Amino acid sequence: MSVVRQGSLGATRVCPHCKATVLQSANICPGCQHHLRFSAANAEPQSEGVPAMRIEGSIHHPGRGEQCEYCVVVSITNEKGEKIARQVVGVGALQPGEHHNYSFSVDVIPARGSVGGERKLR
Ligand SMILES: [Zn+2]
């Protein structure tokens, strides 16, 4: 079990709305877009995320007549090739003539200077 320092960089929590693992510093869930903090009066302005990477693409059903299935996998590795995360984010069926668009994005959020004040897990 690792020791989590108070306000440590990259600390996470679970979004109460969609159960995604999000950054503890996030005010809005990047998945479901719900607000995660309600203390509007003394809310700190959140650091702006800087878009670091974005990939978009589309696929269409390749054949005629028969259906096919699809599986979307996102993986993260470090510079040594060690796996940090690998997750299936979506599966389903693609019908003949159907067309899907996919987008993948990475935002880099500069850490605030004085992290470590509040630490709410809910
Ligand atoms: Zn959410």
Side-chain angles (χ1 to χ4, degrees), residues 21-95:
T21 300
V22 300
L23 285 170
Q24 196 170 301
S25 61
N27 290 330
I28 295 173
C29 173
C32 68
Q33 313 275 299
H34 277 97
H35 282 268
L36 299 171
R37 290 179 178 173
F38 299 96
S39 54
N42 56 1
E44 303 168 55
Q46 184 176 19
S47 300
E48 281 288 306
V50 179
M53 182 180 180
R54 185 174 179 88
I55 298 171
E56 292 185 29
S58 60
I59 61 171
H60 65 277
H61 191 286
R64 314 180 76 174
E66 63 185 29
Q67 302 173 344
C68 61
E69 296 176 316
Y70 67 90
C71 177
V72 182
V73 179
V74 176
S75 67
I76 307 170
T77 55
N78 66 14
E79 69 280 358
K80 296 173 196 160
E82 297 162 339
K83 182 173 80 176
I84 295 171
R86 181 177 169 87
Q87 196 163 359
V88 177
V89 295
V91 296
L94 198 62
Q95 307 294 337

Side-chain angles (χ1 to χ4, degrees), residues 15 17-18 29 32:
C15 171
H17 306 286
C18 70
C29 173
C32 68

